[in-house]
């Protein structure tokens, strides 16, 4: 038995209990819910990944379903009775495994194949849980919730099918892992850094459309300036300004990590900010 916690104005309040999945080591996981604004909730699953619930007058939207430790369908039903749309920002497991609790989920088709490499897992069938079909979503689409609209923008980089969701009425940009303080660009399928910079340049206008970023591992708001700061870091890597970059050890091997600077006058949920990448062959020491 695990606990669901609700955090309001910085205070953690016990709300209810749920049976949750455990990880491979048998450790139980907790879900923390924080109300950011009226009808906008941050869902922090075991401090491993973050999803969001945006509630409009007619519908609600769940942005990412995290690792699936918690029955999110039950959780959401305690927060709203609106018709629910479920969207994945990209196809990595810590953002899609909770899809098993829903009947259909929206995802950019460019990440269907990536998602399948994780979801075609017989362990889920053993538990009687199955992944639902995907419905396509991509740039130009708008999710109309009633008084709140989520505009979709493509940002290939961390994955080919990464998307951003702009909640224009609240000036919030939901970015999944495409824009964050610890950007993984060392994965198979990630484009060269020069291409990432071009992709970021294409959506830089969003800096004027939003005040804050809510990314896929956040516990609070980040100022929108995280976007140009991260873009500058990617540009420095593309330009070869990597002499002070450190080794980055991860489960796939050893890459490099490039620290990028934040604006000292702005608010961020954390200050340590890096882009992880695989150096070009002629740059390897």
């Amino acid at each position: 038995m695990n606990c669901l916690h609700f955090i309001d104005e910085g205070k953690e309040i016990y709300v209810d209990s749920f049976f949750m999945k455990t990880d491979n080591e048998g450790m139980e996981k907790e879900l923390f819910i924080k109300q950011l604004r009226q009808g906008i909730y941050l869902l922090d699953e075991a401090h491993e990944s973050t999803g969001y619930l945006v509630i409009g007058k007619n519908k609600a939207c769940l942005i990412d379903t995290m690792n699936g430790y918690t029955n999110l369908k039950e959780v959401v039903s305690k927060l709203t009775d609106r018709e629910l749309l479920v969207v994945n920002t990209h196809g990595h497991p810590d953002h899609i495994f909770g899809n098993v609790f829903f009947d259909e989920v929206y995802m950019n088709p460019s990440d269907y194949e990536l998602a399948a490499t994780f979801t075609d897992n017989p362990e889920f069938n053993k538990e009687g849980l199955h992944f639902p079909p995907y419905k396509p979503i991509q740039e130009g689409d708008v999710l109309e919730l009633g008084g709140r609209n989520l505009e979709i923008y493509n940002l290939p980089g961390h994955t080919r099918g990464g998307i951003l969701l702009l909640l224009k009425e609240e000036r919030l940009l939901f970015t999944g892992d495409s824009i964050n303080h610890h950007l993984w660009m060392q994965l198979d399928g990630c484009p060269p850094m020069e291409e990432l910079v071009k992709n970021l340049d294409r959506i830089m206008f969003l800096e004027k459309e939003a005040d804050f970023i809510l990314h896929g591992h956040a516990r609070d708001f980040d100022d929108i300036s995280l976007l140009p700061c991260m873009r500058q870091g990617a540009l420095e890597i593309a330009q070869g300004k990597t002499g002070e970059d450190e080794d980055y050890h991860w489960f796939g091997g050893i890459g490099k990590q490039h620290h990028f600077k934040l604006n000292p006058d702005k608010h961020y949920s954390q200050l340590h900010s890096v882009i992880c990448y695989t150096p070009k062959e002629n740059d390897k020491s």
Side-chain angles (χ1 to χ4, degrees), residues 155-160 185 189-202 231 234-235 238 280:
L155 181 54
H158 177 63
T159 69
R160 293 187 180 94
M185 288 294 294
C190 289
M193 205 60 62
E194 295 83 356
E195 185 175 335
L196 175 62
V197 173
K198 291 180 181 178
N199 293 339
L200 287 167
D201 285 344
R202 194 186 64 82
R231 186 261 180 201
L235 179 62
K280 298 176 181 178

Side-chain angles (χ1 to χ4, degrees), residues 86-141:
V86 183
V87 179
N88 294 149
T89 59
H90 62 294
H92 282 150
D94 55 334
H95 299 268
I96 67 172
F97 273 179
N99 290 358
V100 294
F101 299 108
F102 302 97
D103 297 325
E104 64 180 24
V105 178
Y106 287 91
M107 181 188 286
N108 188 325
S110 295
D111 266 9
Y112 284 2
E113 184 176 350
L114 172 65
T117 64
F118 302 108
T119 59
D120 292 348
N121 187 337
E123 289 187 10
F124 284 92
N125 293 332
K126 290 179 182 178
E127 299 181 20
L129 299 173
H130 303 275
F131 286 92
Y134 292 114
K135 297 186 69 173
I137 193 169
Q138 53 195 335
E139 186 161 327
D141 291 335

Side-chain angles (χ1 to χ4, degrees), residues 162-224:
I163 62 170
L164 314 177
L165 298 92
L166 174 66
L167 183 56
K168 213 165 190 176
E169 295 83 0
E170 298 286 339
R171 296 185 60 82
L172 299 177
L173 185 65
F174 300 91
T175 65
D177 286 355
S178 295
I179 303 169
N180 67 61
H181 288 279
H182 196 100
L183 179 65
W184 272 25
M185 288 294 294
Q186 82 280 19
L187 303 169
D188 290 342
C190 289
M193 205 60 62
E194 295 83 356
E195 185 175 335
L196 175 62
V197 173
K198 291 180 181 178
N199 293 339
L200 287 167
D201 285 344
R202 194 186 64 82
I203 56 91
M204 285 302 295
F205 69 92
L206 292 172
E207 184 182 6
K208 296 181 179 180
E209 299 291 333
D211 296 324
F212 297 103
I213 283 173
L214 291 166
H215 64 76
H217 296 274
R219 299 185 195 175
D220 201 352
F221 295 106
D222 279 289
D223 186 82
I224 190 63

Side-chain angles (χ1 to χ4, degrees), residues 4 14 27-28 41 46 64 68-69 106 114 116 141 144 153 158 184 213 222 227 233-235 263:
L4 169 76
Y14 177 82
M27 299 295 292
E28 292 185 336
Y41 296 88
D64 283 337
Y69 299 136
Y106 287 91
L114 172 65
D141 291 335
E144 299 178 352
Y153 297 92
H158 177 63
W184 272 25
I213 283 173
D222 279 289
L227 170 55
L235 179 62
N263 188 325

